[in-house]
Amino acid sequence: MTTTEQPAGAQEEPALKRVIGPRLLILFVIGDILGTGIYATTGKVAGKVGGALWLPFVIGFVVAILTAASYVELVGKYPKAAGAALYTQKAFKVPFLTFIVAFMVMCSGLSSASAAARAFSGDYLAEFTDAVPPTLVAILFILALAALNLRGVSESVKTNVVLTLVELTGLAIILAIGAWAVLTGGGEPSRLGEFQATGTGYALITSVLGATALGFFAFVGFEDSVNMAEETRDPVRTFPRAIFLGVAVTGTLYVLVALVSSLLVDHRTLEKSSGPLLEVVKAGGLDFPPKAFALIALFAVTNSALINIMMASRLCYGMANERILPRAMGRVLPVRRTPVVGIVFVSLLAIGLVSTGEIEGLGDTTAFLLLCVFAVVNIAVLVLRRDRVAHDHFRTPTVLPVLGAITSLILASPLADRDADVYIRAGVLVAIGVALWAVNKLVMRTRGEA
């Protein structure tokens, strides 16, 4: 990719504002990972694996740590907003591959936000009302988050902090219910070792891999934070602790919540619900109001969607600065200093995705797209070892990105036993990306910028 010089007399866009400190970034990472995955797809994971619901989350935690180590090295080395697209370009210098990776990351964020919108309009909202059509609720939900994003990153991140604390409270309630059940002799511990698939061969392996691939949706989010590098103070020092701590905290919570869920509720009941943790509250034996927990869950999925819309819009901004997308995509509001065109663009795409599937399909699409990207990033970190930079930064042991690439490819493969509509949806999104790439190249060639 050739960087185009700024034309004489052209007005330079204002830089993004550095407002995110270490504590705020840690909460941002935790809030980005927590949310829709654990609150909405736990039941679907149980439907794939059975009572051994905890196992996919343990495997997913390991895979997440492997890839997180690669992201930590790369964001410390190149603290820019474009994330995986920047790393791909620097490693392979193939503009087409860079664009596809960037587009897949953006689409993964939008499919995740769409899954959150669907979760918002599902069983948790039904505790209060079912008078408004779910699709309309999901669209209004996306529009409200777009408006918050336009106002400013400081407002968005501070809202994220509040919502993160709320969703952590919700998970603490689930763990308290689980502790009460254990102390009073409630639940069915025997379920924790039950598998949906019969036998011990290929069917069991694909069942566990399929559940892990879907459950991995709950771990995605740490990669979003690197797109906030230009809005973070001292990113080289701040990111390693924030990402590793964020993945460790959420991974521990996920495994514990999965144990409690399977202990108290049969996997068939969990599978049928778009609000599986609400089923845990109702079955827990403690007199906790279901409506209160449903409200917490609504805040949790709101947080997921908010951060994903933030990520996708910042990715558009970064790609525009790298001339992967037209310059207009990098336009920033002069006063608010937020990427206005990027926010509008990704919000419209998210609204379109809301109508393409339900929570499970959109969540699995998110995981599949990101697993493909993670494989590329893990390879890129090895390729870029030959590129020295002047400043010190975190360096991950070589074995971690190697294992990260292998595990990501396995979970993205047909061995993971995912539905065909996931591959179709992802294929259509990539095809749209190819079309946009061709149009952008044509425009640049016409203007003499290629």
Side-chain angles (χ1 to χ4, degrees):
M1 177 172 50
T2 302
T3 303
T4 306
E5 295 182 358
Q6 185 80 358
Q11 184 176 2
E12 185 178 349
E13 289 290 343
L16 297 178
K17 190 175 182 180
R18 293 190 182 274
V19 297
I20 303 174
R23 294 179 183 177
L24 206 55
L25 185 62
I26 290 171
L27 283 173
F28 182 90
V29 174
I30 292 174
D32 200 355
I33 300 173
L34 290 178
T36 305
I38 194 66
Y39 276 89
T41 62
T42 302
K44 306 306 179 185
V45 175
K48 284 179 174 287
V49 74
L53 176 58
W54 54 273
L55 181 58
F57 288 103
V58 170
I59 300 173
F61 171 67
V62 173
V63 175
I65 282 290
L66 294 174
T67 300
S70 293
Y71 270 95
V72 168
E73 176 170 336
L74 291 170
V75 73
K77 205 170 185 180
Y78 313 108
K80 300 292 183 181
L86 175 66
Y87 313 147
T88 302
Q89 177 58 30
K90 284 186 174 294
F92 306 108
K93 294 180 172 55
V94 180
F96 180 73
L97 176 62
T98 300
F99 179 81
I100 293 301
V101 166
F103 195 79
M104 290 175 76
V105 172
M106 186 184 73
C107 288
S108 72
L110 299 181
S111 60
S112 179
S114 300
R118 280 293 187 184
F120 187 93
S121 62
D123 288 347
Y124 291 123
L125 185 62
E127 283 291 310
F128 302 96
T129 179
D130 57 1
V132 185
T135 301
L136 178 59
V137 171
I139 291 173
L140 293 174
F141 177 77
I142 295 293
L143 291 174
L145 296 181
L148 178 60
N149 252 307
L150 283 170
R151 179 162 178 79
V153 68
S154 179
E155 288 80 358
S156 297
V157 174
K158 288 175 183 175
T159 301
N160 164 252
V161 170
V162 174
L163 296 180
T164 296
L165 295 176
V166 171
E167 61 191 356
L168 282 170
T169 300
L171 297 182
I173 291 168
I174 295 295
L175 297 184
I177 289 172
W180 174 261
V182 170
L183 291 174
T184 58
E188 293 290 340
S190 61
R191 278 199 291 256
L192 301 179
E194 294 177 352
F195 288 89
Q196 173 75 357
T198 57
T200 57
Y202 181 78
L204 180 60
I205 293 173
T206 56
S207 173
V208 172
L209 288 177
T212 301
L214 178 58
F216 193 72
F217 171 51
F219 285 96
V220 301
F222 62 85
E223 78 287 346
D224 290 351
S225 64
V226 302
N227 292 297
M228 309 301 291
E230 292 185 45
E231 292 163 284
T232 300
R233 296 192 293 267
D234 196 6
V236 175
R237 292 179 177 271
T238 303
F239 269 94
R241 182 185 177 192
I243 292 181
F244 284 132
L245 187 59
V247 174
V249 168
T250 53
T252 302
L253 286 173
Y254 286 172
V255 173
L256 293 175
V257 168
L259 285 168
V260 170
S261 300
S262 187
L263 181 71
L264 296 180
V265 184
D266 183 79
H267 73 272
R268 288 174 287 269
T269 302
L270 291 172
E271 182 182 13
K272 294 175 183 176
S273 176
S274 62
L277 298 191
L278 191 59
E279 301 296 331
V280 177
V281 171
K282 292 177 179 178
L286 284 178
D287 189 20
F288 190 87
K291 286 186 184 299
F293 186 84
L295 184 61
I296 291 172
L298 290 174
F299 281 127
V301 298
T302 298
N303 202 27
S304 293
L306 171 63
I307 296 177
N308 276 289
I309 294 293
M310 287 175 64
M311 176 278 294
S313 62
R314 269 62 183 183
L315 183 54
C316 280
Y317 168 85
M319 286 193 292
N321 285 343
E322 292 291 322
R323 298 297 184 261
I324 302 171
L325 286 177
R327 291 177 188 162
M329 300 299 292
R331 187 164 297 164
V332 175
L333 280 177
V335 178
R336 305 306 308 180
R337 294 171 70 179
T338 51
V340 55
V341 177
I343 291 171
V344 173
F345 177 69
V346 300
S347 298
L348 290 174
L349 285 182
I351 290 171
L353 272 173
V354 163
S355 63
T356 69
E358 297 300 324
I359 297 170
E360 180 178 359
L362 291 168
D364 211 355
T365 301
T366 303
F368 171 73
L369 289 168
L370 282 179
L371 285 165
C372 294
V373 172
F374 288 171
V376 174
V377 170
N378 279 303
I379 296 170
V381 77
L382 298 173
V383 173
L384 288 169
R385 288 284 170 83
R386 64 194 179 197
D387 183 26
R388 305 290 182 178
V389 294
H391 60 273
D392 292 331
H393 60 87
F394 174 84
R395 181 185 170 102
T396 183
T398 301
V399 67
L400 298 188
V402 172
L403 292 175
I406 293 171
T407 52
S408 295
L409 288 171
I410 289 173
L411 291 178
S413 75
L415 284 173
D417 191 32
R418 58 175 52 86
D419 292 338
D421 71 297
V422 173
Y423 293 109
I424 294 172
R425 186 180 297 108
V428 169
L429 289 172
V430 171
I432 293 172
V434 172
L436 287 175
W437 166 262
V439 170
N440 187 55
K441 290 293 287 184
L442 179 62
V443 171
M444 291 181 67
R445 187 175 293 112
T446 300
R447 294 177 176 177
E449 299 177 1

